[in-house]
Amino acid sequence: MHPTHPSLSRRALAVAMLSFSAAVFVGCASEPAGPAAPKADASPDALLKRAQAYWDLVKANDNIGAWSYEAASKHPQASLEGYLKKGGITYSRVQVLGVKSIEGDTATLDLDMTYSAPLLRIRNVDLHTEDQWKLIEGVWYHAPPRSGLFPTK
């Protein structure tokens, strides 16, 4: 967190969460499948590798690559085009620390990250947070929680 601007940190966190949540709800039509589907592997090691690969793509601003790791990419209502419209947050550091829990087809990971929201003049905020993943057809997908701020219909 930014010690000189405590109110900015809460605002930045809210913006980050809204951005993640918005990715789930945007888009109208689904895109054709991209590269070959990943191999089914529900192990915690596979989850950690997949999560780090996803965050490496996000950090590199490769949203096209990151899309295939999103649970939303498996929904017919979501589209790559809609996913690409999200943004405004950049990540200079994301480290997947470990699996906090796995319950059924849902997992929670611990992350450390440094992010910025340049349009809001928020820079280099350090954050320890949790990241949600969902097991779909034997493969882990990034699944940020839905926000009450966005309607589901």
Side-chain angles (χ1 to χ4, degrees):
M1 300 207 152
H2 221 304
T4 58
H5 301 290
S7 63
L8 284 179
S9 297
R10 283 189 294 232
R11 185 173 73 193
L13 179 59
V15 169
M17 297 310 274
L18 288 174
S19 179
F20 290 142
S21 298
V24 175
F25 297 105
V26 295
C28 299
S30 67
E31 295 290 320
K39 290 183 180 180
D41 186 350
S43 72
D45 285 340
L47 170 58
L48 288 172
K49 287 178 187 173
R50 206 157 151 77
Q52 191 62 60
Y54 165 78
W55 282 107
D56 287 347
L57 291 167
V58 170
K59 188 174 78 171
N61 201 27
D62 182 355
N63 291 329
I64 292 173
W67 171 246
S68 65
Y69 289 79
E70 294 284 357
S73 71
K74 305 300 279 177
H75 296 283
Q77 304 90 342
S79 70
L80 173 59
E81 180 182 338
Y83 179 73
L84 294 175
K85 290 180 183 177
K86 77 172 187 69
I89 297 176
T90 59
Y91 299 88
S92 56
R93 180 183 64 87
V94 180
Q95 182 180 7
V96 179
L97 300 176
V99 177
K100 183 173 184 175
S101 67
I102 297 178
E103 296 180 19
D105 64 352
T106 303
T108 302
L109 304 180
D110 280 321
L111 299 180
D112 271 339
M113 63 175 57
T114 302
Y115 69 92
S116 298
L119 293 175
L120 297 175
R121 298 184 182 153
I122 297 169
R123 306 233 186 270
N124 299 320
V125 177
D126 291 325
L127 178 67
H128 178 87
T129 189
E130 294 180 349
D131 194 28
Q132 305 296 314
W133 286 72
K134 184 164 184 66
L135 190 63
I136 302 171
E137 298 174 359
V139 178
W140 290 106
Y141 289 89
H142 186 242
R146 293 184 179 187
S147 169
L149 298 175
F150 294 97
T152 58
K153 293 184 181 183

